[in-house]
Amino acid sequence: MLSKRLVSTAAICLVLAAGTAACGSATSDGKAGSAQKLDTGKLSAQDIEKQAKEALASATSLKMAGTVDTGDGAMELNLTMDNKSQCTGTMAMPGMGKFEIISDGKTSYVKPDTAFWTAVGGPNGAKAAELFKGRYLTGFESDPSMGSLTKVCNLADFSKKITDSRSSGDKVEKGSAGDVNGVKTFSLKSTDSKGEVTTLQIATEGKPYPVRIEHAGAKDGNGKIDFSEFDKPLTVQVPSADSTIDFTKFKDQLKTA
């Protein structure tokens, strides 16, 4: 049960991204973000979209934080990742608590809180919460279910899913100037065949990074994600050996908890 919950969370993280106006197929010409200021007056919506895609593809790291509607409530995420598959942050699901995730690019670690253990542990949930309190699960990369979670920390995979997902038939229009967390932006609005709207806020100074995605109209996937700390070096501190537990041993102990 735990593995299914974690994997579904990883999938939800990509749902919102799949609808963004930064989606579509394109290749970088190596010039993305070279301009110091985005000329939104002269550029078409498609040109702005292309520059945002290329800027995102060139990012070496970023932070994403926000909420996504899962149908049962709002899921919260706060993750920082880089192009070395390093990652650190937290995710929280409605009625199920929160878990921390850490990856140094080779090994991943997950530490659920008490509420999460209790919710996903079934009859042994309360016992599992006490038994594994404060400890990280690790060694699950080869597990067919849990292994999918590690892809959340893969910036290259994340960027590819964004740039490859949108339908070519979606309508993309220019929006207006704005401000997101102190960053000057310009918006693009993408409307799909179902009338669902995704608004992308793009930085107009420096590299034209997408700094906010808002999606509306879907039963699951409504939400807002902010992106920041582009290209900032990420330092990951992995848990000590005595604060971790191997996933295989965890499954065995959970059965007898």
Side-chain angles (χ1 to χ4, degrees), residues 6 14 27 37 49 71-72 105 108 118 129 151-152 198 209 211 237 247:
L6 291 178
L14 299 174
T27 56
K37 190 170 184 178
E49 177 187 44
D72 297 321
S108 298
T118 303
K151 294 183 179 180
V152 174
T198 298
Y209 286 126
V211 295
Q237 183 68 46
F247 182 63

Side-chain angles (χ1 to χ4, degrees), residues 2 35 40 44 105-106 117 124 126 136 140 152 159 162-163 188 192 219 223 235 246 249 253:
L2 174 62
T40 57
S44 67
K106 296 179 180 180
W117 279 125
N124 294 330
Y136 292 83
F140 50 76
V152 174
S159 298
I162 290 182
T163 57
L188 291 182
D192 65 15
K219 181 179 179 181
T235 300
D246 183 84
K249 293 181 180 179
Q253 291 186 39

